[in-house]
Amino acid sequence: MMSTSMAVSSSPRCGASTKRSANSSASSRRTTTSSSSRRALAIIGKKSTWRRTERRVKAFDFVKAKAEGGVDYVQTADLYDGSKQTQLYSGLGGQALNAKEKGFPTIAQVLAKIPKECFERSTAKSLMYAGISTAITLSVGLVAWATLPFTAYYLPAWIAYAYVAGTAATGCWVAAHECGHGAFSDNRTIQDTVGYILHSLLLVPYFSWQRSHAVHHSKTNHVSEGETHVPAQMGSDEANLMFGLRNTIGKTLCSALNLIGVLLFGWPLYLLMGASGGPVRGKTNHFIPKMGASGKHALFPGKWENKVWYSDVGVALTIGMVAYWAMQTSFATVFGLYVAPYLFTNFWLVLYTWLQHTDVDVPHFEGDDWNLVKGAFMTIDRPYGKVYDFLHHRIGSTHVAHHINHTIPHYNAVKATEAIKQNWPDLYLFDPTPIAQATWRVGSECVAIVRKGDEYVFSNEPLPKL
């Protein structure tokens, strides 16, 4: 990453225009003047140094270096000149920017405006929706198994099947997601049983994810303590790598590779290494609770450690069943019917989470500039259309309400969204940009964040240091 120093202000050289004179008194005057100039330059240089130092001290929030549990975290975004950032705009038109100038309500004030019936959970209704998603997924799989030969000629049909089945299975994922949030049922046993089974069948460690996702909700769009899709900071290794790659192979190819990498590998890398997780937590692992930071930044503190191991059992059983299935049939059978749809389900999961909290003009915050309700209102609703809204239980089009209160069931989220939109139209974020276009914009322009005033904004190019 290139860095530049602040330029020292130029100063008048008082003796530069003095003409030579044979007169010794003139020479003396020139000497005196030159001496004065040097002193003036020295003073100005010191003032310039003071200005640079002052800016760096203000940046100190600079290096919030943390060494808890062996994790060293340096906040590099504060070291770069955010005033040089070129602001891009999404379909929001900059609505989320300059958050400090807006009047945010408290969570209690928002909840008071949402109709009480929106918080009512129906076990029967939740089971019905989970059943519909499961039935669609299994039905599509049975049709493919019964009608599609495992030959290269039918590869396009198998790809189409994988997309349809994986898209349908995302509905099962979302139903389990509601279980993890306590939005599925008042009966905790039913809720956790359904969530555990559905998530385990999709190779998701149910309780581990329940905990990390709760952290995501509690620290949404926090620069250092957020969880999942926390942006790279200007000057970080990740940002330097991306800018270097863009410079080497070109922006278009680099952006395409970035999208493929995030949407294909992002989910397993997050589970196994904490990729895009909160930097204060280090490299976490959803199957091994001790990895990452300890103390207050531990991802799985206290009772959660045992819950991680319980979650591992469900995933291990699923892997065992899939392996046995492959032994009884063939790898091609298992890959076509299970693994390929699973990859599309992961694609949807990552896409939704990424677009729900990220865009070129949606800021992140740190320290006292962040709070719970501000983070929740940095969530973005998007237009996924009737088919995907039905299959995915409106997870992408009513997500603002979900972050205001995650116990609202999806079937009540439309009414809750309307209440939020009506009472806080200036804070509610809805970007009408088509999903494909929004995905490309986020994948190509949201490279790294830099501090700009009281918030952190995305830059699509390297910036100079302060």
Side-chain angles (χ1 to χ4, degrees):
M1 182 90 51
M2 293 187 303
S3 64
T4 59
S5 301
M6 288 179 58
V8 178
S9 302
S10 61
S11 61
R13 299 177 182 262
C14 300
S17 61
T18 305
K19 294 183 179 180
R20 292 184 176 273
S21 171
N23 189 301
S24 61
S25 62
S27 176
S28 176
R29 284 195 302 271
R30 185 176 66 250
T31 302
T32 303
T33 304
S34 297
S35 177
S36 299
S37 293
R38 285 193 296 270
R39 285 197 298 272
L41 282 169
I43 292 170
I44 291 171
K46 286 181 179 179
K47 288 183 176 179
S48 180
T49 301
W50 292 336
R51 284 195 293 269
R52 288 197 299 272
T53 302
E54 184 181 15
R55 289 181 72 181
R56 282 179 175 162
V57 168
K58 283 182 178 175
F60 183 84
D61 302 339
F62 148 96
V63 208
K64 296 179 175 164
K66 306 192 177 191
E68 298 180 16
V71 176
D72 291 329
Y73 163 58
V74 177
Q75 188 152 297
T76 59
D78 287 353
L79 299 176
Y80 290 79
D81 192 352
S83 67
K84 304 297 184 183
Q85 178 254 14
T86 300
Q87 184 61 60
L88 301 178
Y89 295 95
S90 68
L92 296 169
Q95 180 185 351
L97 295 171
N98 303 313
K100 198 166 187 177
E101 298 176 3
K102 299 176 173 65
F104 285 88
T106 64
I107 286 291
Q109 288 171 330
V110 181
L111 296 180
K113 294 294 184 179
I114 297 175
K116 292 183 179 179
E117 59 267 26
C118 291
F119 301 94
E120 295 175 0
R121 295 177 288 271
S122 167
T123 301
K125 189 176 288 189
S126 295
L127 286 170
M128 178 191 72
Y129 281 110
I132 289 173
S133 293
T134 304
I136 294 173
T137 303
L138 293 177
S139 296
V140 172
L142 288 172
V143 170
W145 177 76
T147 62
L148 296 180
F150 290 99
T151 64
Y153 180 80
Y154 282 90
L155 181 60
W158 277 109
I159 294 174
Y161 154 74
Y163 175 76
V164 173
T167 299
T170 304
C172 300
W173 208 109
V174 175
H177 160 267
E178 293 220 324
C179 292
H181 275 302
F184 191 87
S185 172
D186 290 328
N187 186 313
R188 189 168 180 176
T189 301
I190 293 176
Q191 182 167 258
D192 283 342
T193 300
V194 172
Y196 188 89
I197 292 172
L198 289 178
H199 263 175
S200 294
L201 290 173
L202 294 169
L203 302 182
V204 179
Y206 175 70
F207 292 113
S208 307
W209 172 86
Q210 182 184 51
R211 161 63 183 172
S212 64
H213 196 63
V215 174
H216 159 70
H217 272 255
S218 69
K219 293 291 183 177
T220 304
N221 280 43
H222 192 289
V223 167
S224 58
E225 297 180 27
E227 187 65 18
T228 74
H229 298 286
V230 178
Q233 298 192 23
M234 188 69 66
S236 67
D237 291 341
E238 182 181 348
N240 291 342
L241 176 63
M242 184 62 68
F243 285 129
L245 191 60
R246 283 159 67 103
N247 187 56
T248 302
I249 67 175
K251 178 179 177 179
T252 300
L253 179 57
C254 180
S255 299
L257 291 175
N258 181 46
L259 284 168
I260 293 171
V262 172
L263 296 174
L264 184 60
F265 302 110
W267 175 239
L269 287 176
Y270 171 65
L271 291 180
L272 295 171
M273 300 174 59
S276 86
V280 296
R281 298 183 192 92
K283 291 188 180 299
T284 58
N285 186 302
H286 281 66
F287 301 95
I288 305 174
K290 287 295 187 181
M291 287 187 65
S294 58
K296 72 174 184 178
H297 291 307
L299 188 57
F300 303 112
K303 66 177 183 180
W304 289 102
E305 183 174 340
N306 285 333
K307 288 195 169 188
V308 170
W309 299 123
Y310 299 153
S311 303
D312 291 353
V313 173
V315 174
L317 287 173
T318 299
I319 292 175
M321 289 189 295
V322 171
Y324 180 77
W325 179 20
M327 292 170 61
Q328 298 301 309
T329 56
S330 68
F331 173 78
T333 299
V334 173
F335 187 88
L337 288 172
Y338 179 83
V339 177
Y342 165 78
L343 295 177
F344 276 103
T345 299
N346 288 354
F347 157 84
W348 278 112
L349 163 65
V350 174
L351 180 69
Y352 275 122
T353 313
W354 201 7
L355 296 187
Q356 282 161 353
H357 307 286
T358 308
D359 218 319
V360 292
D361 52 358
V362 176
H364 286 66
F365 308 93
E366 171 69 45
D368 293 337
D369 294 317
W370 179 92
N371 61 57
L372 184 63
V373 73
K374 185 186 289 186
F377 271 111
M378 291 301 121
T379 306
I380 313 159
D381 284 345
R382 297 185 185 272
Y384 286 90
K386 292 182 179 180
V387 173
Y388 294 123
D389 272 351
F390 168 73
L391 291 174
H392 299 162
H393 313 305
R394 299 183 181 275
I395 190 66
S397 58
T398 60
H399 208 67
V400 174
H402 176 65
H403 266 262
I404 293 297
N405 188 282
H406 55 72
T407 66
I408 297 174
H410 74 270
Y411 42 81
N412 294 334
V414 172
K415 182 179 288 188
T417 299
E418 289 302 318
I420 295 168
K421 188 191 308 184
Q422 180 179 349
N423 285 278
W424 292 279
D426 57 326
L427 298 180
Y428 171 75
L429 301 182
F430 176 82
D431 185 347
T433 305
I435 298 304
Q437 182 181 338
T439 302
W440 179 259
R441 181 178 63 228
V442 168
S444 61
E445 307 294 354
C446 295
V447 181
I449 54 170
V450 64
R451 189 181 188 105
K452 193 173 184 179
D454 299 307
E455 53 198 26
Y456 292 79
V457 293
F458 279 103
S459 176
N460 64 349
E461 58 187 0
L463 296 176
K465 280 188 174 182
L466 288 170

